[in-house]
Amino acid sequence: MIVIFKNSAQPEKIRRLCSEFEAQGLEIHKIEGRRANWIGLIGDTSGLDPDLIRAHDCVEDVKRISEPYKKVNRKFCPNDTVVCAGGRKIGGGHFAVMAGPCSVESEAQITGIAESVGKSGAAFLRGGAFKPRTSPYAFQGMRAEGLELLCRAREKTGLPVVTEIMNPAHIPLFAGVDMIQVGARNMQNFELLKALGRQKTPVLLKRGLANTLEEFLMSAEYILAGGNENVVLCERGIRTFEPSTRNTLDISAVPMLKSKTHLPVIVDPSHAAGLSWMVEPLAMAAIAAGADGLMIEVHNDPPHAKSDGAQSLTPAQFDELMKKIGAAVQFFGKAME
Ligand code: PEP
Ligand code: MN
């Protein structure tokens, strides 16, 4: 980190600030320029807040040189992490498709969809039991009963399940789940992230509606810092000025994230587009961009789905798509999980 001092800075104030840095175990390199004095801070600066340093009146500006995240940083762990959940692998050449309805609605619905997506080659069954809905009057999910139905569908089909948590107090209810999803709206629910770091179930962390990639990686850092290293990132579209799609799929996030972190990165084209016909081209783009997997919403009766019907594929459409996904994954040198 570099700290640039104002021309008018009193040497005593600079000295005092430097001793504060030294007290935190940092080494200081002084650079005396013609117009300004700078210092380079060497050591672990991840605990420093640049805004707090800027609050000193002798400071002109602060620039970070290294990233504020450590455990998720590819610099410190150059090889791809392979996350294993419910016996399935994601990352490091393993490509996993997670498919299922937005919401668990009944035993017949979730088991029927699980059977068909399993036959089509999905590696995971997805389905929301606790639903984050914009309206308090919209369907809120089957909650604990929905989790039970997911586990029953797993027993019948062998498909591991991934489902969303919204409240850290619910973690014990998720004990039988293979992968816990943190939805976009909770990406910066730091108490939830800390609690998920303290337990062992792998986590699927979705990017927030309006979060930068650095914020996304810092949220993943919370989970790894707590001791849980099994985290998969999911790009699911961000909010932009464009209203014709539900969100804008940030496809460049995939190669950018993969350059910055060793964690697997998957893409959710369903929530990105909000339109079922757009799922296929976005899924193909995700594979070409280097994604390690896809999350796709599939419903037996999309027009009557309790949530997200417009973006859901029918099982038959999903089956057709999976053939194309399989071919594309092979073309890009990965193996279907
Ligand atoms: C979901 O996966 O059903 C969901 C609510 O997704 P997101 O958090 O990406 O909106
Ligand atoms: Mn949904």
Side-chain angles (χ1 to χ4, degrees):
M1 187 178 281
I2 286 174
V3 181
I4 306 158
F5 294 105
K6 285 180 184 157
N7 266 344
S8 58
Q10 293 168 4
E12 180 47 32
K13 288 195 173 167
I14 297 182
R15 262 195 301 277
R16 238 183 288 149
L17 186 55
C18 287
S19 4
E20 276 185 37
F21 291 135
E22 278 165 339
Q24 293 176 58
L26 295 163
E27 210 181 293
I28 291 177
H29 274 229
K30 292 192 175 141
I31 306 144
E32 282 183 21
R34 274 212 197 129
R35 289 165 179 245
N37 292 328
W38 312 24
I39 55 166
L41 294 176
I42 297 165
D44 182 3
T45 57
S46 57
L48 292 181
D49 178 349
D51 284 334
L52 270 186
I53 302 172
R54 278 188 202 102
H56 289 264
D57 64 6
C58 57
V59 173
E60 174 82 39
D61 204 0
V62 181
K63 301 219 182 293
R64 256 195 197 286
I65 308 294
S66 54
E67 298 85 0
Y69 44 85
K70 289 186 287 187
K71 290 183 181 289
V72 306
N73 200 326
R74 198 181 266 284
K75 277 186 196 152
F76 305 121
C77 177
N79 296 330
D80 285 350
T81 286
V82 179
V83 170
C84 193
R88 306 291 163 101
K89 291 179 177 156
I90 311 159
H94 301 270
F95 190 94
V97 178
M98 306 174 182
C102 180
S103 301
V104 179
E105 298 174 11
S106 69
E107 181 164 5
Q109 176 245 19
I110 192 67
T111 308
I113 296 175
E115 275 164 356
S116 50
V117 297
K119 274 191 202 126
S120 304
F124 288 84
L125 172 65
R126 66 141 285 146
F130 291 87
K131 294 302 304 173
R133 305 303 301 278
T134 303
S135 165
Y137 309 115
F139 178 60
Q140 302 289 307
M142 293 183 76
R143 302 176 66 86
E145 193 187 346
L147 296 180
E148 257 172 57
L149 298 184
L150 280 166
C151 292
R152 252 183 254 168
R154 177 183 53 200
E155 273 163 37
K156 280 212 166 161
T157 59
L159 280 186
V161 301
V162 50
T163 190
E164 179 168 355
I165 193 166
M166 295 200 289
N167 184 340
H170 292 162
I171 288 178
L173 291 176
F174 282 66
V177 161
D178 300 284
M179 189 168 218
I180 303 179
Q181 175 175 323
V182 175
R185 289 151 192 84
N186 274 307
M187 188 204 87
Q188 286 191 315
N189 181 340
F190 300 116
E191 289 304 319
L192 179 60
L193 300 177
K194 283 190 236 174
L196 291 170
R198 290 191 290 265
Q199 56 85 61
K200 290 277 160 273
T201 305
V203 175
L204 177 69
L205 178 64
K206 289 185 134 193
R207 182 179 180 183
L209 306 177
N211 286 109
T212 64
L213 297 181
E214 186 170 291
E215 287 163 345
F216 192 14
L217 290 166
M218 289 304 281
S219 289
E221 184 81 11
Y222 263 89
I223 304 171
L224 271 78
N228 184 355
E229 310 219 314
N230 293 309
V231 176
V232 174
L233 303 173
C234 179
E235 161 60 37
R236 45 77 73 206
I238 50 173
R239 192 165 276 194
T240 68
F241 47 80
E242 176 51 56
S244 62
T245 46
R246 186 174 179 186
N247 293 289
T248 297
L249 181 61
D250 182 6
I251 204 74
S252 58
V254 178
M256 188 57 85
L257 284 169
K258 290 191 66 80
S259 77
K260 294 189 179 299
T261 181
H262 50 89
L263 296 175
V265 179
I266 72 162
V267 167
D268 172 349
S270 307
H271 289 89
L275 301 161
S276 60
W277 62 267
M278 210 182 271
V279 170
E280 177 176 322
L282 296 188
M284 293 299 146
I287 299 167
D292 299 296
L294 290 163
M295 173 170 263
I296 295 174
E297 285 188 340
V298 178
H299 196 279
N300 51 312
D301 183 11
H304 299 105
K306 291 199 172 169
S307 57
D308 287 352
Q311 67 197 33
S312 299
L313 301 184
T314 61
Q317 288 170 329
F318 178 70
D319 191 62
E320 278 307 302
L321 176 58
M322 279 300 276
K323 289 176 193 148
K324 295 179 186 168
I325 289 174
V329 165
Q330 196 182 10
F331 179 81
F332 284 101
K334 290 193 174 128
M336 288 293 275
E337 194 52 24

